[in-house]
Amino acid sequence: MKPYIYSILFLISIPFSFSQTKELVLKESYEIDKNTILEIDIDNASIVFEESNDHKVHLDYSILFDKDSEDIQYKVFKGLKAKSSKTNNKIKLEVKNSMYLGELHSLDVDIETYKEHIRGFFKKRRANEFYYKSKDSIVKEIDFSLGTDSNDYFKKLKLENPYKNYGKSPRKFKQDFIIKTPKNVKIKIKALHSRIDFTYNVNTHLDISSFKTYYKFKSINNENNSFKLMNGIFQAEAISGGNYDLKDIYKVRIGSFSNAMLKTETSKIQIGEIGKKVSFKDFTSKVHLYNFSESFADFSFEGKYSELNVYKVKESNYSVKVFGFNTVLNMDGTKTTFGNSKEEKLTKILEKKPKENIISNGNIAIELENGILNIK
């Protein structure tokens, strides 16, 4: 079926509010079964995934414009390409927008408000950097988040002072792209400079690769999941199963993580709770592990040039073994460097055994080369 794509000469204007119009880009629905795969290839698109209440995939893509913005509409649609099709059991969606339409770095306030408050944002972020967090508090942060820390900061300011004028975003248009999918649809995504928000729990296979893309998930639960992300933001309230390869991700925030492998590089990572069977390999990242769950069994961490912050293990009944080379250990206010030798051989830095005659609640194995370990 031919998708509903309109040129600028044939746009259908739908009144959306007193100050906006809604221009339709694409609207399609496709029947699916348990073997259907939704394959998505997008550039500079912002998509919200919702659960479908029937056995169809629904694609609904529009652009919201401020009124009296014909010149803006021309620029937007000049750089927009969107099409969809279904062949056998594969639904394909391709959206190739120009950078002009991208929303990654858009402000929710005017530039003067941004300049006025940005110092307070950096000050607060530094003050909160080493605070302990519960799993529930991480989940709340993810649920609240708009993506970047700065937009989250201004969202909070607006909620705290609802009657104050923080100005209007300079953007005169916004994407309104909803994909409704049944829970049994497998999804494959290739994304560039995009935003993707899943508003339901995903239990089917996800195969995702992207560059400079912001992700936000509820729970992800499938042993075959495969994520290869470079640059951007990755937030998920709960993850169980799969392999996650994250490089240069400047905001990784996960509520709980279990039965999965995590490979990271040059990223900033916060995990609220470690569950069963987690393997973690890192290079040059800053990692905060706040809690270990009651069902926690085995956790391994291998890092090179990593800064690892582990909380609440001193008072717990875990078995902990730490090996390192040229690694700094910070614990109880004391800083010690271990394994600084010509052999570059890993040596035992720390061992914590469970209490006598009490079975260990779990095993933590850490190897660090040229790293920093903070035990708090």
Side-chain angles (χ1 to χ4, degrees):
M1 186 178 291
K2 186 178 180 180
Y4 294 91
I5 305 177
Y6 296 86
S7 71
I8 190 64
L9 297 177
F10 300 98
L11 291 174
I12 298 176
S13 295
I14 305 170
F16 184 73
S17 70
F18 291 110
S19 60
Q20 289 183 316
T21 58
K22 188 173 185 178
E23 307 292 349
L24 181 63
V25 177
L26 183 147
K27 191 175 181 67
E28 285 287 2
S29 296
Y30 297 100
E31 295 277 356
I32 65 98
D33 60 31
K34 65 180 181 178
N35 298 314
T36 299
I37 299 174
L38 174 59
E39 194 170 286
I40 297 171
D41 187 357
I42 58 172
D43 293 359
N44 296 289
S46 295
I47 300 176
V48 175
F49 282 83
E50 298 178 355
E51 185 179 357
S52 175
N53 57 10
D54 57 23
H55 295 288
K56 293 181 180 180
V57 169
H58 302 276
L59 311 175
D60 191 348
Y61 186 18
S62 298
I63 310 290
L64 306 179
F65 291 96
D66 288 355
K67 283 191 174 182
D68 303 320
S69 58
E70 288 79 5
D71 58 330
I72 300 294
Q73 292 183 29
Y74 176 76
K75 290 180 181 179
V76 167
F77 280 89
K78 184 180 179 181
L80 187 153
K81 176 186 175 183
K83 63 181 180 180
S84 67
S85 62
K86 183 181 180 186
T87 304
N88 298 323
N89 246 347
K90 183 180 290 185
I91 299 169
K92 287 189 175 182
L93 170 67
E94 184 179 10
V95 179
K96 300 294 182 178
N97 294 333
S98 68
M99 292 288 287
Y100 181 78
L101 189 55
E103 296 180 330
L104 280 193
H105 305 293
S106 60
L107 293 173
D108 288 333
V109 295
D110 63 29
I111 191 65
E112 294 305 319
T113 298
Y114 180 83
K115 290 178 180 178
E116 179 185 352
H117 293 279
I118 196 62
R119 287 185 180 179
F121 157 68
F122 283 114
K123 183 177 180 181
K124 187 169 184 179
R125 186 169 70 173
R126 284 194 297 268
N128 291 337
E129 186 174 5
F130 297 108
Y131 281 178
Y132 163 78
K133 297 180 181 180
S134 67
K135 182 189 77 170
D136 290 343
S137 68
I138 290 284
V139 170
K140 287 179 181 178
E141 288 179 359
I142 295 169
D143 182 62
F144 180 84
S145 181
L146 295 173
T148 64
D149 288 340
S150 59
N151 275 340
D152 292 348
Y153 177 72
F154 287 113
K155 178 182 177 181
K156 188 174 182 180
L157 283 184
K158 288 179 180 181
L159 290 174
E160 292 173 347
N161 302 280
Y163 299 108
K164 184 174 179 178
N165 181 13
Y166 288 100
K168 185 180 179 182
S169 171
R171 290 180 66 86
K172 297 184 180 298
F173 60 88
K174 183 176 177 61
Q175 297 187 46
D176 184 20
F177 198 164
I178 306 294
I179 296 179
K180 293 185 177 181
T181 61
K183 280 192 171 181
N184 60 329
V185 173
K186 299 175 183 177
I187 301 174
K188 184 175 183 179
I189 298 175
K190 181 181 178 182
L192 175 67
H193 296 107
S194 296
R195 303 175 69 103
I196 298 174
D197 184 358
F198 279 81
T199 62
Y200 64 95
N201 298 327
V202 185
N203 296 320
T204 51
H205 181 198
L206 292 173
D207 185 354
I208 297 178
S209 61
S210 68
F211 179 72
K212 284 190 177 179
T213 295
Y214 298 173
Y215 290 95
K216 184 176 176 180
F217 293 90
K218 302 294 282 185
S219 73
I220 308 170
N221 184 13
N222 192 287
E223 63 181 7
N224 297 314
N225 284 342
S226 176
F227 281 65
K228 292 185 178 180
L229 313 182
M230 181 180 290
N231 223 295
I233 292 173
F234 178 66
Q235 300 186 94
E237 294 182 12
I239 293 176
S240 180
N243 294 291
Y244 302 83
D245 190 340
L246 313 178
K247 183 177 181 180
D248 298 328
I249 307 296
Y250 51 88
K251 183 177 182 179
V252 179
R253 198 182 272 163
I254 301 169
S256 60
F257 191 77
S258 62
N259 297 307
M261 296 181 65
L262 186 60
K263 182 180 179 182
T264 59
E265 182 175 338
T266 324
S267 300
K268 295 181 179 179
I269 303 151
Q270 298 181 66
I271 301 178
E273 186 177 83
I274 296 292
K276 291 182 178 179
K277 295 182 181 179
V278 172
S279 175
F280 196 148
K281 292 185 178 182
D282 176 68
F283 180 76
T284 327
S285 295
K286 183 177 287 188
V287 182
H288 293 265
L289 308 177
Y290 293 110
N291 302 278
F292 290 83
S293 73
E294 292 182 0
S295 60
F296 156 70
D298 295 299
F299 170 76
S300 65
F301 181 94
E302 296 179 20
K304 295 183 178 180
Y305 300 94
S306 308
E307 181 185 318
L308 175 60
N309 299 274
V310 183
Y311 298 74
K312 293 203 167 184
V313 296
K314 290 186 292 184
E315 62 270 29
S316 61
N317 194 40
Y318 302 141
S319 170
V320 181
K321 289 184 180 181
V322 182
F323 288 82
F325 163 74
N326 194 27
T327 291
V328 177
L329 172 65
N330 290 323
M331 185 173 66
D332 299 327
T334 301
K335 180 185 292 188
T336 310
T337 300
F338 292 86
N340 191 1
S341 64
K342 293 182 180 180
E343 291 81 11
E344 297 188 4
K345 182 181 179 181
L346 290 171
T347 57
K348 185 183 290 185
I349 293 175
L350 177 70
E351 182 174 8
K352 176 181 177 295
K353 296 181 179 180
K355 295 176 183 178
E356 190 175 355
N357 299 322
I358 299 178
I359 298 174
S360 171
N361 290 337
N363 302 304
I364 298 173
I366 298 172
E367 292 184 3
L368 278 175
E369 295 182 30
N370 303 293
I372 299 173
L373 175 60
N374 298 314
I375 297 180
K376 305 180 179 183

